[in-house]
Each structure stands twice: as structure tokens, then as C-alpha cells.
């Protein structure tokens, strides 16, 4: 710990990494998906609550179930991607707190008392989103490409894939080997002085 990663790793994860919209015809194995999760789960969440859940949409039949929920501009690239991960969160994540945060198992009560529903929902969304970012980093670190997106109908996805209402979809990430020939030039990023303050 304490040693920075090398320049090649920084290039792979950040500098040269892109949001891909086109995909090569190369499979992504179930083992790769497990490896992605096993890296991403190590990132920090508040009190180790780990609310993120993932449905890896991989089969042709599962993709057809997802298709009606996609905005028109996201259909082709999602159907072509080897896998589309539905990044979701567990609305009852707090049930796992006694196991995941043994130093203070009673923290579960902070989310289950009457009137705390919005507090729990905000916690789940915030930390689930944070974990979703770790998934994108893990995908890139393992030599794959990611195409995260939010152009879809959450209610349709939840009704189709999470009908019991416990898991809530957040965003999607297409996973595979990107077709660099379909990339557009990288868009501008805000510079430090516009986006940051040192106080």
C-alpha cells in the first residue's frame, strides 16, 4: 500500500479508457463477470453496507426482455454487447448489517425505524452508485471495456427483472471488448479550477 500504480495502469483505467458504443464479437465468460464483482466488492461503502446488486443480462432471451425498456438510441449497442449489467441496489440492504458490520450490528435500527424510509433509500442509492463506479473501474482493470448509460425506463426494468420490488435499478453498463473504430473523439472535461476548490 502507498505505492502509486504505474502509468500503464492509469492509462488503462482512466486516460485511454472510453465509454464504448460498438462491440467486437468476442465473448465475456461467467468467470470474467465473477472476477469483476470480486474486485468491485472490495471498494468502500458506508459501514460496509454494500447495497449494490447486479443482474448480468447475457443470454439472447434476457436481452429481449431488456430491449423494451431501452431508449431507441441505446438498443443497437446494448443488443450487440456481450453483456449488459443492470446496476441495482437492495432496498432492504440493512438486513445484512449484522453480518457485514459486526462492530455495530445495531446500526440496522437506524434504517428500519418508522420515518427512516427516505434515509434508507438515499443511503442505498448513494452507496450502490458508488459501487457501480467500482464495477466500471474493475471492468477496465481486467482488460474489458465498459459502456455505462442511463437511457432506459427504470420502472420497466424493475417490473421485468425485479418483480418483488426489493431490488431497484440504477444504471446500465454494457460489457465486452469495445470496437475502437466506432468511438467519437473524447469530449472535453472540466479543468480542476472550474470543478474544484481547495479550502
Amino acid at each position: 500500500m502507498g505505492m502509486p500504480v504505474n502509468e500503464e495502469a492509469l492509462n488503462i483505467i482512466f486516460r485511454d479508457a472510453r465509454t464504448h458504443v460498438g462491440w467486437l464479437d468476442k465473448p465475456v465468460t461467467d468467470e470474467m463477470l465473477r472476477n469483476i464483482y470480486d474486485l468491485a466488492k472490495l471498494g468502500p461503502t458506508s459501514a460496509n453496507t454494500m447495497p449494490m446488486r447486479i443482474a448480468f443480462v447475457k443470454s439472447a432471451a434476457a436481452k429481449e426482455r431488456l430491449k423494451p425498456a431501452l431508449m431507441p438510441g441505446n438498443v443497437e449497442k446494448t443488443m450487440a454487447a456481450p453483456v449488459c449489467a443492470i446496476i441495482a441496489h437492495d432496498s432492504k440492504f440493512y438486513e445484512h448489517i449484522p453480518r457485514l458490520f459486526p462492530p455495530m450490528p445495531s446500526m440496522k435500527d437506524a434504517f428500519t425505524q418508522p420515518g427512516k424510509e427516505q434515509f434508507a433509500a438515499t443511503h442505498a442509492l448513494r452507496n450502490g452508485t458508488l459501487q457501480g463506479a467500482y464495477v466500471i473501474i474493475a471492468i477496465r482493470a481486467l482488460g474489458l471495456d465498459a459502456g455505462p448509460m442511463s437511457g432506459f425506463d427504470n420502472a420497466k426494468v424493475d417490473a421485468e427483472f425485479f418483480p418483488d420490488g426489493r431490488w431497484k435499478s440504477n444504471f446500465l453498463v454494457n460489457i465486452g471488448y469495445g470496437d475502437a473504430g466506432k468511438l467519437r473523439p473524447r469530449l472535453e472535461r472540466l479543468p480542476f479550477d472550474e470543478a474544484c476548490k481547495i479550502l
Side-chain angles (χ1 to χ4, degrees), residues 7 28 35 65 96 105 111 159 177:
E7 292 296 309
V28 173
N35 291 341
R65 292 170 57 199
H96 300 284
F111 300 100
Y177 297 91

Side-chain angles (χ1 to χ4, degrees), residues 89 91 93 116-126:
H89 52 268
S91 61
F93 66 91
K116 293 293 186 179
E117 294 84 4
Q118 187 56 52
F119 176 61
T122 300
H123 179 99
L125 178 61
R126 178 185 300 121

Side-chain angles (χ1 to χ4, degrees), residues 64-160:
E64 285 302 315
R65 292 170 57 199
L66 179 62
K67 189 175 181 179
L70 299 172
M71 290 180 62
N74 289 332
V75 171
E76 182 179 353
K77 60 187 175 185
T78 302
M79 294 301 102
V83 180
C84 179
I86 303 172
I87 305 297
H89 52 268
D90 183 355
S91 61
K92 296 184 180 180
F93 66 91
Y94 44 76
E95 292 182 356
H96 300 284
I97 287 177
R99 176 163 60 106
L100 296 176
F101 199 61
M104 193 182 296
S106 62
M107 182 177 284
K108 174 183 177 181
D109 300 338
F111 300 100
T112 58
Q113 295 172 358
K116 293 293 186 179
E117 294 84 4
Q118 187 56 52
F119 176 61
T122 300
H123 179 99
L125 178 61
R126 178 185 300 121
N127 286 277
T129 302
L130 184 64
Q131 287 189 279
Y134 302 148
V135 168
I136 295 168
I137 294 170
I139 289 167
R140 293 171 170 180
L142 291 171
L144 295 158
D145 294 301
M149 59 188 176
S150 58
F152 69 101
D153 187 320
N154 292 78
K156 286 183 179 179
V157 167
D158 291 350
E160 181 63 35

Side-chain angles (χ1 to χ4, degrees), residues 53-64:
R53 304 293 182 264
I54 309 173
F56 290 108
V57 178
K58 184 177 179 183
S59 70
K63 287 182 183 180
E64 285 302 315

